Amino acid sequence: RMELQGDASVLVQLEAEEDIAICLLDTWRGPAAWLASVAALEQSLGRSSWLHNATWSPVNGEASELERETLEGYISQGLSSLGLNAYQFDRNVSCERSNMSARCLRGVCQRRNESGGRWGSIYCGNVSSSSACPDGYVCSLPRPRHGHQSVVLSLEGKELLLVFGGEASLLAGGGEWVLTNSVTSVHFSYNDATSVDLLTSCDLGSSCPQPRRDASVLVMDNGGAGNGRLLVFGGLGCGGAGGSCSQSGLLDFLAGRPSAGAQLLDDLWYLDLQELSQDCVMTGDCQTFLPWTKVDVAGSKPSARFAGAVTIDVSDNELYLFGGVSYESGSFTELNDLNEFPLADPFYKFCSATGQGLTRAVAGVTSKIYLQCQDSFRRPADGARFRIELVSAGSPSLSISPVGLGQGMYEGSYTPVNSGSFLLSIFVGRGGAEHQSLIEGYDANPSNSLHEFQLLANRTNPNPFSLLVAAGTTDALVSTSSGSFLTLTTAGVASSFMLTAKDKHGNLSPGGDIVSVIMTLWDPARQTALEPDLKPETAAISDNSDGSYHVAYRITRAGAYRLSLSVNGQEGMGSPLLLEVASSPADPLRSYVFGDFSNIRTGVSSSLFVQTRDALGNPLRVDRALAPAGSENITFEFCTSVGLQDESVTCEGGSVDLNVGISVEYGISPDGYSSNRSTGMPNYGLYRITYFPFNDGLVYPQVRHGPVYVKCMFDTSGLSVDRMIPSPQEADDCIARILANETAKARRKSLLVAAHAPPRRISSYHHDYFNVQVQATFTSPDTHKLRFWLTWGPVLCGLLGFLLQLAYSLCVWKSRRDIAPVRTIPMSRRSSAVSQPHVQEDKGADSSFLQQLKAGGFLDEAEVGECSDEGKKEETLAIMKKFEMAQNEMISSLKRVARKQPSPSSLNTSSAQSVFILWQPKRSSVEVEEENLEDRTFYS
């Protein structure tokens, strides 16, 4: 920045490179007004170089603070002699060092083949270099041309000129159209310029742009440590057969006529200048062939043209192309469109992906993929815009948003929740989906998560990637079980159900899980094992390798079981469940009877018990709440004789004692409860037979289970309740011996057991009947009298009831008129009060009344004396009246309660006893009354 003070005391600020400042100061030395400022600046200025930029305002593009009118005087006075000299470097000027004031142009002899290099230190093309280049070498001095493009390149701190392409044919003279694609460098020293043809891939016959003129050319990335790239777009080329055209296409354009050979180009190329050296451009000793690379432009690109203006905005790495000339339908058209090309955007062919997450993942587990991207010029590309999708039929798509790691590296992560096969597609590019392309870079080993990028070449693009998402760890709480045999089965029946193993997201497991099925005999009421020492039941499990497991089991013992399902040590799948193992159909041959057969007495009820079982020995599991009478037909025959082996008739054709009261109840144990007091379980399959014999003598008790007589009977006389029930093993042993016909000769043999012994079999197979003695406890009544009373008893009872009711009514009527002596009298059927002295309302009652109370035991001598007091007589009468009312109310309430009680089914009588205890000041009175209550039996 230079500040110059003029005569008018106006400060002029100038921003310029140091090189141009020296040039300007040389011009400004003349006018005296500038001498002071120029002298001060000369001391701080450095060496000179080529002109870059000079402006009267800041370089940020804002307008100058100085108005034009203010500067007019200084332009005319101080800058009037400003002028920059142009120097011509001429091949006809000798490059001998003796001529230091002249500026010459020369070339070098170069070998333009694979070996490259120059021939010694021979210069050519200048008047001072008269010798021609030897065979195999050509002189690098450029031939006359037009339509070429020249740009400035900074190489190792020094600037040189690069010239690309052009036309060597004469427009005026006509003739064949000669174009070139060569790149020539011109290196300048103070008084000479050396021209060198750069060796490129064109010299090796490799990929390079075709010859052209009027291309859009510029240098990019030139500065710092990099030489950059020479960028070439479009141009005007020859489209004739074999690359030959009879006349210049530019001449056709200038003449405004169609061109037979003109070919407008829309390709974008760059020449990598990184290996270019000072030795090459100064001496022609080039050892490296610089590569041309065609930029594959994704999406839309500008139309073919020549003479377009091109520039780069370095702030955002954007290339802008404006205007030019196009050729369509036989006519040339001048263009005014503006095109933008992002130079630093990732190029889909130079992007690749790696990482195990491309092909394998686990549901619920985060997987990663790694991306690397380069732009069209093979530079690391940051800021890429990716679109990554995971798509599967029947599953929602999943998107991945990678994050940049710098230097063109990216990392993306995703957590799938659905297992199955997916397509993982990776797109890159600006804008919407229509401007994005699948990346086509190839990674040699994507499973190692290391970037090993290669061009796809002739390989098949793995993108979209085939991704297999496996199910996560099996979760027992999400896994399920199904089948009717999960909660209900029958003993001895082969049963099965299915288990479906899933992870926490509901994905099917691929199999291989450790599945356990445990069935423990269970007490549902107490929520504990019924027999803790009993080994649990297990099942056979088949792995279908698709997440499903077939479970088969067979349980022979009926009962409730706790079904526990676990996978990999975790209980779940809807368990624990309560599995009800029902007994199989009844098998009468497995049933047995036990009870007291040694102490049967007439007139006394006796009981025996029938345990019904299935073929496996299980008690028949019939719920008493659902079937109060049980499910089996159990009958009891009190036979006085038996027939000959015909079980289809009663007592097998013998005689049966009909004078026996018999009742059959289901689910009642010997202790009178409906459940086992030690286990709390119902008395499944157990029937209690209560019978009341009237006749003594020898009898043959028989129990039928359906049509079949029960073969095994156990005498439990004298045993406690806990010991009288035979064990299943004892019952099975008994049945086994019967089936083996071990006791076939013990016909009619009585095998009674002692009270201290455990239950034993006392009856055996088929005809091995046993008999018992019914002991007499009273004299048998006269049969005729019994029949008489059985006939006329009900009639007499009815008549007696009527008379009692009448007597009761008379007593009530009489009790309201006087106070009777205390005595015990029968209560009538409808009575609601116990016989008590009736309290009269006569206020003139005398001592005779008190003496009656004393005689009845209600008052003692002292009380009689106290109550005889005239002042307390009314009080005594009031107390007795209230007592009578309270007593009547209490008795009525007791009657109502008694009438509502259910009748015990074992009491076949209409007689009842009512006991009333009535409080008195000194003693109690108890009366016992028998009355008929309309055949409703009760106790109160």
Side-chain angles (χ1 to χ4, degrees):
R1 172 172 294 182
M2 296 184 293
E3 295 183 355
L4 304 180
Q5 187 69 41
D7 290 341
S9 299
V10 176
L11 182 65
V12 177
Q13 295 180 341
L14 175 66
E15 291 186 1
E17 298 283 346
E18 294 179 358
D19 311 11
I20 191 173
I22 295 176
C23 181
L24 291 173
L25 293 176
D26 287 341
T27 306
W28 291 341
R29 289 180 185 274
W34 301 100
L35 290 179
S37 296
V38 170
L41 289 173
E42 283 182 335
Q43 298 178 3
S44 60
L45 294 178
R47 60 182 177 80
S48 62
S49 64
W50 280 89
L51 176 64
H52 267 201
N53 185 32
T55 179
W56 291 97
S57 61
V59 295
N60 61 7
E62 297 179 359
S64 171
E65 297 177 357
L66 300 178
E67 299 178 355
R68 177 178 178 83
E69 292 77 6
T70 308
L71 292 175
E72 284 183 351
Y74 294 94
I75 293 175
S76 61
Q77 297 180 18
L79 304 180
S80 59
S81 59
L82 174 61
L84 300 180
N85 294 327
Y87 301 98
Q88 179 181 7
F89 291 81
D90 194 346
R91 59 182 298 179
N92 295 317
V93 175
S94 174
C95 294
E96 296 295 336
R97 292 303 176 187
S98 58
N99 185 14
M100 297 300 294
S101 60
R103 290 171 171 80
C104 68
L105 175 64
R106 60 187 177 184
V108 296
C109 293
Q110 293 181 279
R111 187 193 300 273
R112 305 190 61 83
N113 54 25
E114 295 178 359
S115 59
R118 62 168 185 156
W119 184 51
S121 57
I122 302 299
Y123 291 98
C124 62
N126 186 266
V127 294
S128 60
S129 304
S130 57
S131 59
C133 293
D135 292 340
Y137 290 84
V138 294
C139 186
S140 63
L141 192 67
R143 294 188 297 168
R145 67 183 69 180
H146 56 94
H148 55 280
Q149 299 296 317
S150 300
V151 292
V152 175
L153 176 71
S154 176
L155 181 64
E156 299 178 10
K158 297 183 180 180
E159 293 177 338
L160 56 92
L161 193 66
L162 291 182
V163 180
F164 169 77
E167 180 180 349
S169 54
L170 296 176
L171 293 179
E176 185 178 359
W177 193 12
V178 180
L179 299 171
T180 182
N181 59 1
S182 64
V183 180
T184 303
S185 68
V186 182
H187 179 270
F188 295 91
S189 64
Y190 182 76
N191 62 344
D192 57 54
T194 303
S195 172
V196 174
D197 279 340
L198 302 184
L199 301 181
T200 69
S201 55
C202 295
D203 298 308
L204 301 177
S206 299
S207 176
C208 71
Q210 74 177 70
R212 66 192 68 194
R213 63 164 294 150
D214 296 306
S216 301
V217 179
L218 52 76
V219 172
M220 60 179 291
D221 296 337
N222 179 221
N227 295 336
R229 297 167 178 82
L230 180 67
L231 197 62
V232 175
F233 173 78
L236 181 61
C238 173
S244 176
C245 295
S246 59
Q247 72 176 20
S248 171
L250 183 66
L251 188 59
D252 295 331
F253 165 67
L254 296 176
R257 63 182 179 228
S259 176
Q263 179 185 10
L264 274 68
L265 305 172
D266 63 353
D267 49 353
L268 180 63
W269 293 81
Y270 71 88
L271 180 67
D272 192 344
L273 304 173
Q274 190 59 35
E275 300 299 325
L276 186 62
S277 65
Q278 283 285 355
D279 286 343
C280 175
V281 298
M282 292 177 63
T283 66
D285 188 14
C286 301
Q287 303 296 324
T288 303
F289 289 82
L290 304 178
W292 279 103
T293 301
K294 185 177 182 180
V295 178
D296 197 348
V297 178
S300 61
K301 59 182 178 179
S303 59
R305 67 189 65 198
F306 69 92
V310 64
T311 187
I312 291 179
D313 183 353
V314 295
S315 64
D316 58 2
N317 267 316
E318 301 286 347
L319 173 69
Y320 293 96
L321 173 68
F322 176 76
V325 178
S326 67
Y327 181 74
E328 293 181 3
S329 302
S331 64
F332 292 93
T333 303
E334 293 184 357
L335 304 173
N336 62 354
D337 56 341
L338 178 64
N339 297 273
E340 174 194 9
F341 179 62
L343 300 175
D345 271 14
F347 184 48
Y348 70 100
K349 291 186 177 181
F350 299 155
C351 294
S352 62
T354 187
Q356 293 184 356
L358 293 171
T359 55
R360 295 192 303 275
V362 176
V365 178
T366 299
S367 298
K368 292 186 177 183
I369 62 174
Y370 302 92
L371 304 167
Q372 72 81 33
C373 267
Q374 302 171 10
D375 61 21
S376 300
F377 307 98
R378 303 300 295 273
R379 301 171 300 180
D382 293 327
R385 299 180 184 178
F386 292 99
R387 178 166 57 92
I388 304 178
E389 297 177 344
L390 273 77
V391 180
S392 175
S395 297
S397 59
L398 179 66
S399 298
I400 304 175
S401 299
V403 295
L405 305 178
Q407 293 299 309
M409 303 295 180
Y410 302 84
E411 176 186 290
S413 61
Y414 64 97
T415 305
V417 295
N418 295 328
S419 62
S421 298
F422 290 77
L423 283 181
L424 190 152
S425 305
I426 305 175
F427 299 85
V428 69
R430 288 194 184 191
E434 67 274 14
H435 299 297
Q436 294 178 320
S437 303
L438 285 168
I439 66 172
E440 291 185 3
Y442 180 79
D443 191 277
N445 186 9
S447 62
N448 60 8
S449 300
L450 299 177
H451 290 294
E452 299 168 305
F453 167 73
Q454 300 176 20
L455 291 174
L456 187 62
N458 295 323
R459 305 181 184 93
T460 300
N461 187 6
N463 184 24
F465 296 89
S466 296
L467 172 63
L468 180 62
V469 179
T473 302
T474 301
D475 190 333
L477 300 180
V478 180
S479 302
T480 59
S481 55
S482 60
S484 58
F485 291 115
L486 279 167
T487 55
L488 180 63
T489 187
T490 302
V493 176
S495 306
S496 64
F497 55 86
M498 297 297 296
L499 301 179
T500 303
K502 302 178 181 180
D503 63 13
K504 66 179 181 180
H505 299 290
N507 299 303
L508 292 177
S509 166
D513 297 299
I514 301 175
V515 179
S516 174
V517 177
I518 301 295
M519 292 163 283
T520 305
L521 193 61
W522 198 248
D523 183 350
R526 302 179 183 178
Q527 289 296 301
T528 184
L530 189 61
E531 299 180 18
D533 297 332
L534 183 66
K535 183 179 179 181
E537 300 282 347
T538 57
I541 302 170
S542 301
D543 187 349
N544 297 327
S545 300
D546 60 357
S548 65
Y549 296 84
H550 181 267
V551 180
Y553 68 96
R554 180 177 178 270
I555 299 178
T556 58
R557 181 172 177 178
Y561 288 78
R562 182 186 186 274
L563 175 59
S564 174
L565 308 173
S566 63
V567 55
N568 300 328
Q570 181 188 18
E571 186 179 52
M573 298 182 173
S575 71
L577 296 167
L578 187 64
L579 170 62
E580 178 68 23
V581 180
S583 53
S584 58
D587 184 357
L589 292 178
R590 295 286 177 179
S591 300
Y592 59 90
V593 177
F594 62 92
D596 186 353
F597 292 100
S598 301
N599 298 292
I600 305 175
R601 297 181 182 275
T602 60
V604 178
S605 65
S606 298
S607 298
L608 56 86
F609 300 88
V610 183
Q611 182 63 65
T612 58
R613 302 195 299 170
D614 61 14
L616 298 173
N618 296 301
L620 299 182
R621 291 179 64 85
V622 178
D623 191 345
R624 189 167 181 261
L626 300 178
S631 62
E632 303 304 304
N633 182 20
I634 303 297
T635 57
F636 178 61
E637 299 174 0
F638 212 59
C639 302
T640 56
S641 65
V642 292
L644 300 175
Q645 304 180 9
D646 186 4
E647 295 188 3
S648 62
V649 295
T650 304
C651 294
E652 301 193 34
S655 299
V656 61
D657 187 354
L658 299 178
N659 296 319
V660 180
I662 300 173
S663 65
V664 180
E665 301 170 272
Y666 175 66
I668 305 300
S669 64
D671 57 8
Y673 290 92
S674 60
S675 61
N676 190 311
R677 286 187 294 172
S678 61
T679 64
M681 299 298 293
N683 297 311
Y684 288 121
L686 184 64
Y687 294 80
R688 182 175 71 176
I689 300 176
T690 303
Y691 59 98
F692 195 95
F694 288 93
N695 302 321
D696 60 349
L698 190 68
V699 297
Y700 301 86
Q702 300 283 358
V703 176
R704 281 183 183 269
H705 180 181
V708 179
Y709 283 113
V710 178
K711 302 302 187 296
C712 268
M713 293 188 177
F714 294 87
D715 184 16
T716 60
S717 301
L719 298 180
S720 64
V721 172
D722 296 336
R723 298 182 58 195
M724 68 182 298
I725 302 177
S727 68
Q729 184 61 46
E730 290 174 321
D732 292 339
D733 291 342
C734 172
I735 293 171
R737 287 195 295 270
I738 289 177
L739 295 178
N741 201 19
E742 293 178 353
T743 58
K745 298 180 180 181
R747 183 185 176 105
R748 303 178 185 274
K749 184 177 181 181
S750 177
L751 299 175
L752 302 181
V753 299
H756 63 275
R760 289 179 51 211
R761 177 175 59 89
I762 59 177
S763 176
S764 57
Y765 182 74
H766 207 54
H767 288 306
D768 297 338
Y769 310 113
F770 73 98
N771 51 56
V772 296
Q773 182 70 37
V774 180
Q775 303 175 23
T777 58
F778 60 92
T779 303
S780 300
D782 182 64
T783 306
H784 297 286
K785 292 183 178 180
L786 177 61
R787 291 179 179 176
F788 174 82
W789 287 111
L790 288 176
T791 303
W792 294 101
V795 176
L796 295 176
C797 286
L799 181 60
L800 179 61
F802 172 78
L803 295 176
L804 290 175
Q805 179 66 34
L806 181 61
Y808 170 78
S809 300
L810 293 174
C811 290
V812 172
W813 175 78
K814 185 177 182 300
S815 66
R816 293 178 179 176
R817 286 163 173 77
D818 56 12
I819 299 176
V822 178
R823 64 189 182 277
T824 302
I825 61 174
M827 293 181 64
S828 67
R829 180 176 180 275
R830 297 300 180 183
S831 175
S832 61
V834 177
S835 177
Q836 292 285 0
H838 188 69
V839 181
Q840 298 293 334
E841 296 183 0
D842 184 6
K843 296 183 180 181
D846 56 12
S847 61
S848 62
F849 166 70
L850 298 176
Q851 293 300 323
Q852 292 180 18
L853 293 177
K854 176 182 177 182
F858 288 95
L859 297 176
D860 56 19
E861 189 66 35
E863 291 172 331
V864 170
E866 183 179 359
C867 293
S868 298
D869 187 354
E870 190 67 27
K872 293 187 177 181
K873 185 177 296 185
E874 289 193 13
E875 181 181 357
T876 301
L877 292 174
I879 291 174
M880 294 303 295
K881 184 176 181 179
K882 291 181 180 179
F883 175 73
E884 181 186 22
M885 294 175 63
Q887 179 176 262
N888 292 339
E889 182 180 354
M890 179 184 70
I891 292 174
S892 298
S893 298
L894 289 173
K895 291 281 186 158
R896 286 194 299 271
V897 172
R899 294 178 187 276
K900 293 180 180 178
Q901 302 306 311
S903 302
S905 59
S906 61
L907 188 59
N908 297 321
T909 175
S910 61
S911 177
Q913 291 181 329
S914 298
V915 181
F916 304 128
I917 302 175
L918 308 178
W919 177 87
Q920 293 189 57
K922 295 297 183 178
R923 59 192 59 81
S924 298
S925 173
V926 179
E927 289 201 3
V928 179
E929 171 196 16
E930 280 193 278
E931 66 175 2
N932 185 291
L933 296 178
E934 298 176 352
D935 295 331
R936 299 187 63 180
T937 305
F938 66 94
Y939 296 100
S940 66

